[in-house]
């Protein structure tokens, strides 16, 4: 999602790479799950998240959308997001002890927190959100270790491609100003990148093939 914010108010003013150290260590949260409550519709999922959830839970997007996920519009594009429990607005994947039941394959936004990404010049840097995590006196951790994603450079390249694809698609839809076309494109994005099942093979090859299909049509 695009956000119009003053970086001086939400960050420590630094830009990081995955090889940098940042004050992220929180003692394994020590039983705290504040960041897993009251997120609204902000935990938006990308294709890698859906691949991770469906392959690890041995389910399908169609099954997840029944109760665990919902669809909402973000920057003119319809995308899935995590649902919350009605009672305490906690993530549906929290267990009875307030711990993440999908921690090893949790969504990218969850892995990133309390980091964010700032996109510039067809690339991105990480930044530290200083007002988000409730933990005080956090320790320094290398960002690569914090994210814990295999083949991180490949993942970062994918994230960059996905971000700018959505950004360019938004610009295209704004320029066309055609409701029927926007609906058609959104349905196609949902079908290709989310609804069509992923297999257990390499995600990035599957994503590249789907992106090529998208580009051939639009």
């Amino acid at each position: 999602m695009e956000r119009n914010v003053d970086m001086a108010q939400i960050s420590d003013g630094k830009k990081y790479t995955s090889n940098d150290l940042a004050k992220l260590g929180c003692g394994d949260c020590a039983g705290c799950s504040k960041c897993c409550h009251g997120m609204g519709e902000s935990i938006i999922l990308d294709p890698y998240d859906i691949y991770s959830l469906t392959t690890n839970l041995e389910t399908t997007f169609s099954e997840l959308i029944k109760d665990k996920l919902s669809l909402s519009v973000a920057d003119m594009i319809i995308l899935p997001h995590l649902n919350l429990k009605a009672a305490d607005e906690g993530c549906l994947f929290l267990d009875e002890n307030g711990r993440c039941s999908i921690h090893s394959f949790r969504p990218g936004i969850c892995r990133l927190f309390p980091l964010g990404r700032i996109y510039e010049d067809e690339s991105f840097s990480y930044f530290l959100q200083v007002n988000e995590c409730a933990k005080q006196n956090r320790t320094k951790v290398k960002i690569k270790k914090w994210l814990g994603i295999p083949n991180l450079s490949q993942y970062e390249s994918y994230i960059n491609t996905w971000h700018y694809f959505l950004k360019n698609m938004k610009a295209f839809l704004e320029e066309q100003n055609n409701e029927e076309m926007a609906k058609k494109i959104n349905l196609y994005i949902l079908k290709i990148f989310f609804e069509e099942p992923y297999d257990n093979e390499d995600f990035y090859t599957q994503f590249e093939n789907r992106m090529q299909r998208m580009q051939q049509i639009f």
Side-chain angles (χ1 to χ4, degrees), residues 7 17 27 48 50 77 120 139 155 178 194 200 207 211:
M7 293 298 293
T17 72
Y48 184 86
I50 296 303
I77 308 297
E120 300 172 305
T139 57
Y155 174 80
N178 185 315
F194 297 101
N200 290 320
F207 174 75
M211 184 62 75

Side-chain angles (χ1 to χ4, degrees), residues 10-174:
I10 67 170
S11 77
D12 61 2
K14 300 177 182 178
K15 296 178 183 178
Y16 297 91
T17 72
S18 60
N19 287 315
D20 290 328
L21 294 168
K23 289 187 176 181
L24 301 167
C26 57
D28 194 29
C29 294
C32 173
S33 60
K34 289 184 179 180
C35 62
C36 303
H37 290 77
M39 306 91 67
E41 299 178 353
S42 67
I43 311 301
I44 296 174
L45 306 180
D46 59 47
Y48 184 86
D49 295 329
I50 296 303
Y51 163 80
S52 297
L53 288 171
T54 55
T55 54
N56 283 282
L57 294 174
E58 298 183 348
T59 187
T60 64
F61 179 79
S62 298
E63 286 298 313
L64 290 173
I65 204 72
K66 290 180 179 179
D67 57 353
K68 298 293 192 300
L69 313 178
S70 293
L71 300 175
S72 58
V73 178
D75 299 327
M76 297 189 71
I77 308 297
I78 299 174
L79 297 170
H81 63 81
L82 288 184
N83 284 337
L84 305 181
K85 299 175 183 176
D88 61 359
E89 293 191 335
C91 177
L92 287 173
F93 288 105
L94 287 176
D95 64 21
E96 62 275 9
N97 298 313
R99 308 298 285 174
C100 179
S101 64
I102 58 169
H103 192 263
S104 63
F105 52 94
R106 63 198 183 281
I109 290 181
C110 304
R111 288 181 178 275
L112 197 60
F113 185 85
L115 294 169
R117 299 189 193 99
I118 180 168
Y119 292 85
E120 300 172 305
D121 302 323
E122 301 300 314
S123 186
F124 72 84
S125 303
Y126 297 100
F127 68 92
L128 180 62
Q129 301 180 84
V130 294
N131 303 314
E132 298 299 323
C133 180
K135 175 70 174 179
Q136 300 297 313
N137 301 316
R138 295 191 298 271
T139 57
K140 287 189 175 182
V141 179
K142 182 172 281 193
I143 290 175
K144 180 184 296 185
K145 181 179 179 180
W146 180 259
L147 295 174
I149 298 174
N151 305 314
L152 182 58
S153 60
Q154 196 170 19
Y155 174 80
E156 290 180 327
S157 177
Y158 147 74
I159 284 292
N160 204 58
T161 297
W162 180 244
H163 170 84
Y164 284 104
F165 164 72
L166 295 180
K167 182 177 181 178
N168 292 335
M169 189 58 70
K170 175 193 174 186
F172 174 76
L173 292 177
E174 288 178 333

